[in-house]
Amino acid sequence: MNPAAKRINCDRCLRPLRNCICSLVNIHNNMIELLILQDKTEAVNAKNTAGLLHLCLKNSQLYKLNSDESMATAELDRLLFASGKQPLLLYPPTRDAAALGLEMPLPAPDIRQIGPNGLRLVVIDATWRKSRKMLYKNRPLQTLPRLALENPPDSLYLIRKAGNKNQLSTLEASCYALQQLEQDLVDYSALLDSMQRFVTQQFTFRPV
Ligand SMILES: [Zn+2]
């Protein structure tokens, strides 16, 4: 492939044509809306799974931000609370929150009473270090009620050799969280299969 062709991006997935993932896309009608807050450095990582996740979930938004900067509160509030939905942040408890001067998350609401149409699942797509930074920089994120995964399976994502099997990709963590909240009413197994094909593709077509 000549150098000019390498730079051409796919119109749909916005990736370089040689790394296009459109053939892996299968649409899922998730009941609970997903908001992905993506660190800008992840957006250019060919092995990142959030782009595929966003393309496959009908009811999702992907918002790119710089984890080193605070977002304008009004803009962040608009993303989190649009349409009067209750946001839930998929994030483990931050045990050192008080010592670091962070706000405590609000208690989890009664999810069953709100129902799937009233909820918005918020995930941070970043390295662990950058996700913590994003949290510290943005007070509205600190106070969101949290959701933790209950007994997630081992990761199927093996691109990052340094990672261990307990570290889930954004795509996996989001699917398992949606399954948990939607009580398995939507089947995400085809999406997880797509991720495995994505992993194979990324091993075959390593960026030069
Ligand atoms: Zn494409």
Side-chain angles (χ1 to χ4, degrees):
M1 194 179 285
N2 69 46
K6 269 189 190 174
R7 287 196 294 272
I8 297 172
N9 284 359
C10 169
D11 289 341
R12 188 179 175 202
C13 68
L14 308 178
R15 295 165 68 97
L17 280 180
R18 63 199 294 272
N19 277 329
C20 168
I21 53 171
C22 291
S23 66
L24 302 176
V25 172
N26 46 51
I27 305 293
H28 290 63
N29 284 310
N30 51 314
M31 295 161 70
I32 293 174
E33 190 191 300
L34 180 72
L35 169 63
I36 306 162
L37 299 176
Q38 183 178 59
D39 177 49
K40 278 188 174 161
T41 55
E42 289 296 325
V44 293
N45 177 356
K47 294 169 184 173
N48 179 278
T49 60
L52 177 62
L53 175 69
H54 173 54
L55 287 170
C56 291
L57 291 186
K58 201 170 180 183
N59 202 5
S60 70
Q61 259 197 93
L62 192 155
Y63 188 91
K64 297 181 177 100
L65 65 157
N66 184 343
S67 59
D68 294 326
E69 294 171 6
S70 303
M71 260 186 87
T73 304
E75 172 71 352
L76 186 52
D77 279 350
R78 186 188 62 75
L79 285 168
L80 296 173
F81 299 100
S83 312
K85 290 184 191 256
Q86 166 67 57
L88 288 175
L89 181 67
L90 180 62
Y91 209 80
T94 33
R95 300 190 199 289
D96 47 359
L100 293 165
L102 294 181
E103 300 285 338
M104 294 302 288
L106 293 167
D110 185 344
I111 289 164
R112 284 191 188 186
Q113 203 177 8
I114 296 171
N117 290 334
L119 290 171
R120 173 175 294 117
L121 179 66
V122 182
V123 298
I124 297 178
D125 181 47
T127 61
W128 175 241
R129 194 178 64 82
K130 294 221 171 197
S131 74
R132 280 176 68 96
K133 205 167 193 180
M134 217 184 271
L135 200 63
Y136 293 155
K137 292 269 181 190
N138 295 288
R139 190 181 169 279
L141 290 180
Q142 297 168 20
T143 54
L144 290 184
R146 303 263 178 100
L147 178 79
L149 290 176
E150 294 160 6
N151 306 314
D154 289 346
S155 178
L156 305 165
Y157 182 87
L158 299 168
I159 290 177
R160 286 182 180 139
K161 286 181 188 160
N164 67 47
K165 63 185 172 131
N166 297 317
Q167 281 181 322
L168 298 173
S169 66
T170 297
L171 185 148
E172 289 171 296
S174 301
C175 285
Y176 298 144
L178 287 170
Q179 274 174 348
Q180 193 173 308
L181 289 170
E182 294 168 347
Q183 301 183 316
D184 295 318
L185 289 172
V186 180
D187 181 2
Y188 294 99
S189 52
L191 181 45
L192 293 162
D193 286 346
S194 282
M195 190 197 72
Q196 287 195 284
R197 284 186 285 135
F198 170 79
V199 171
T200 308
Q201 190 193 63
Q202 292 311 309
F203 271 118
T204 313
F205 303 106
R206 278 182 192 281
V208 178

